[in-house]
Amino acid sequence: MARSHLTLAALATSAVAGLDVAQASGFGSGTHGDFESALLTTRDGAHWIIRVPTSERAEAEQSADLVSLRALSTGVRARLPFAVSNYAGQTPIGGTRAVVYDFVYGSPVDLAAIAEGSLLAPNLGRAIAAIHTLPTSFVADAGLPVLSPAEILRSTITIMDRASATNLVPAALLGRWEKATEDGPLWQFAPTVINGGLSADSFLSSDDEVTGLLGWQSLSIGDPARDLYWLLGARGGYVAEAAFDAYNEARGSSDRQVKHRAMLYAELEIAKWLLHGTQERSTEIVDDAVQMLHGLVDTVQNDLDQTLSHNTMPVMAVDEVEAMLDRDQRS
């Protein structure tokens, strides 16, 4: 049974000493819909968020997020052109814990609503570049994952092998992906600080400026392309092109293959959706993933003999990428 806003407000006052809540109202449900949340307004006009996980996955996500937020010191945050939540306090409740954060202002970003010529698209690219130019030492010092290109490549191959073992992935796609993993220049990159779980839902904006970024539970040192693949789901191509251009300009990056790897990761999201369906024994999810895989074959059939290499960049249909990323976010 869901807790009332008044109950959540009472929990918040237990979590944060001196918090004087004047009003509490409903606020979202978290990335996967498994948090009880409330927006709190204190008598001095400040706003806070309280979140109570309602599943083991949500609890693990919240715990990882707290570790990352603590790693993001004041000095590190000062390098970012947007706000990041601050942990305020916590209190135990029903075998888990309620956590209070200060409120980050802004409206959720809707990729489909970004018009051509909008400054929000390049600003998204610059915001991601700001993450990737952070010093790596604070991530390692916090004991968070630090992955090398070789380890990232091995994990990519593992996903492909697991998907192949289902015998449901078209051979043409497996060949395409295998050629990409064998393309040495594609994997010659310098790992950076990455958020690791970015999507349009991660960002808050106001007047085409990125004002905040939520969800840091996957903070690590890894492949910057992991933070970029979701941009390929935007309709029309403008958002991805403008964001990637601004990203590359901001980073001054020598990683010329970042967009190629982003495309590979986008395609492999379908394989992950398939694996999720087989793990959950969901015929509906498996059938959906298989349909998407065959749709992907149709989309790139003229390029299957070339691969996703550093010399070629076959482009999936925008609608196909968007549907794929939408399904992954719902998983």
Side-chain angles (χ1 to χ4, degrees):
M1 182 176 179
R3 297 175 181 87
S4 69
H5 299 154
L6 290 177
T7 299
L8 293 175
L11 288 171
T13 58
S14 297
V16 182
L19 194 68
D20 189 4
V21 178
Q23 183 179 352
S25 58
F27 186 82
S29 56
T31 304
H32 306 291
D34 44 12
F35 286 95
E36 292 180 28
S37 305
L39 172 63
L40 310 173
T41 304
T42 53
R43 297 194 187 281
D44 60 2
H47 294 94
W48 307 77
I49 294 292
I50 183 170
R51 302 173 81 207
V52 181
T54 59
S55 69
E56 291 184 3
R57 176 176 64 182
E59 187 168 12
E61 176 184 304
Q62 180 173 260
S63 295
D65 192 55
L66 287 174
V67 171
S68 298
L69 291 180
R70 287 174 177 139
L72 291 164
S73 65
T74 301
V76 171
R77 290 167 185 251
R79 295 171 178 255
L80 297 172
F82 49 77
V84 176
S85 295
N86 284 293
Y87 164 80
Q90 63 183 19
T91 190
I93 176 68
T96 184
R97 56 184 170 175
V99 178
V100 178
Y101 312 80
D102 64 351
F103 182 70
V104 178
Y105 293 88
S107 300
V109 169
D110 180 359
L111 281 183
I114 300 177
E116 186 165 351
S118 167
L119 294 178
L120 181 56
N123 284 336
L124 286 170
R126 295 185 189 100
I128 298 170
I131 299 170
H132 295 174
T133 53
L134 290 173
T136 58
S137 57
F138 83 93
V139 175
D141 290 346
L144 295 169
V146 177
L147 301 177
S148 68
E151 290 170 321
I152 293 165
L153 175 57
R154 283 197 294 272
S155 66
T156 301
I157 293 173
T158 297
I159 293 170
M160 291 166 40
D161 289 345
R162 290 177 57 208
S164 176
T166 67
N167 295 317
L168 295 173
V169 181
L173 282 183
L174 289 175
R176 170 183 173 85
W177 296 340
E178 287 169 0
K179 288 179 182 178
T181 61
E182 294 167 356
D183 181 23
L186 196 65
W187 302 95
Q188 294 175 4
F189 65 92
T192 67
V193 176
I194 62 172
N195 172 280
L198 291 186
S199 68
D201 293 337
S202 304
F203 292 89
L204 299 173
S205 68
S206 177
D207 296 328
D208 285 344
E209 295 289 337
V210 175
T211 59
L213 200 160
L214 307 175
W216 290 87
Q217 63 272 8
S218 299
L219 180 66
S220 64
I221 304 297
D223 187 348
R226 291 297 312 173
D227 279 350
L228 293 161
Y229 80 86
W230 61 276
L231 288 164
L232 300 170
R235 291 183 180 276
Y238 164 74
V239 172
E241 182 177 358
F244 271 93
D245 286 348
Y247 170 85
N248 288 324
E249 181 180 1
R251 277 201 67 195
S253 175
S254 60
D255 183 2
R256 299 179 181 178
Q257 319 310 330
V258 67
K259 192 171 184 179
H260 296 65
R261 295 195 309 280
M263 180 62 72
L264 174 61
Y265 292 145
E267 294 186 11
L268 288 176
E269 287 302 303
I270 307 179
K272 290 182 179 180
W273 184 236
L274 173 65
L275 293 172
H276 174 67
T278 56
Q279 182 178 358
E280 297 296 319
R281 300 183 183 276
S282 169
T283 302
E284 181 181 359
I285 294 177
V286 170
D287 289 347
D288 182 50
V290 169
Q291 182 179 1
M292 294 180 71
L293 288 168
H294 284 281
L296 178 57
V297 171
D298 294 340
T299 300
V300 299
Q301 59 184 343
N302 295 327
D303 301 292
L304 287 171
D305 60 340
Q306 295 188 38
T307 80
L308 285 162
S309 76
H310 63 284
N311 293 319
T312 61
M313 192 56 234
V315 179
M316 292 172 60
V318 170
D319 289 347
E320 184 72 15
V321 178
E322 184 177 54
M324 173 187 64
L325 299 182
D326 284 345
R327 285 169 171 80
D328 178 60
Q329 290 169 14
R330 289 199 301 269
S331 69

